[in-house]
Amino acid sequence: MTAHRRRGADRAVHACFSVREAPGITVTVSHDATGLVGTARHTAQRLLAEAGRGYLGGRVELRTPRPPARVTSRPSAFAPRHRRAVRRAADRAVALAVAATLRGEATGVRVHVRPPL
């Protein structure tokens, strides 16, 4: 019997933020996601500063969907669009996780990745 996967079941970015007293943002990403570390760090720093808590630091954990497999037989524009959609979802997830942490709510946030058009 073969295992069946629901299509699109893992198309979400999970973000978790924890506050630290020491300044600086540490980011961990589950998959090799180019550009996500800088984007997540910048988003967290910006939101802490906007909330008047720029002196705090924290730790961001991101779990992202795996990138699509590379197809060498034909060039595709899907991969760059997929990376852009994941980057946008990660940005939203980090923003929501930081805001939830500052409100004292649960810090785990899940944001679905909008499929590229």
Side-chain angles (χ1 to χ4, degrees), residues 17-26 48 53-59:
F17 181 75
S18 57
V19 177
R20 291 188 311 208
E21 293 294 324
I25 304 292
T26 305
L48 285 172
R53 306 274 194 253
Y55 57 90
L56 293 175
R59 179 172 181 237

Side-chain angles (χ1 to χ4, degrees), residues 14-35:
H14 301 268
C16 185
F17 181 75
S18 57
V19 177
R20 291 188 311 208
E21 293 294 324
I25 304 292
T26 305
V27 180
T28 58
V29 181
S30 62
H31 297 292
D32 181 27
T34 307

Side-chain angles (χ1 to χ4, degrees), residues 28-100:
T28 58
V29 181
S30 62
H31 297 292
D32 181 27
T34 307
L36 279 187
V37 173
T39 301
R41 181 178 296 121
H42 177 72
T43 301
Q45 288 172 341
R46 179 177 49 86
L47 284 167
L48 285 172
E50 286 177 1
R53 306 274 194 253
Y55 57 90
L56 293 175
R59 179 172 181 237
V60 177
E61 295 179 31
L62 282 176
R63 284 181 284 160
T64 60
R66 291 186 183 176
R70 293 182 183 226
V71 179
T72 58
S73 61
R74 59 184 169 86
S76 173
F78 179 74
R81 287 184 289 172
H82 174 74
R83 282 194 301 268
R84 196 173 317 124
V86 169
R87 189 171 46 240
R88 281 192 210 122
D91 190 41
R92 286 192 309 269
V94 169
L96 291 172
V98 171

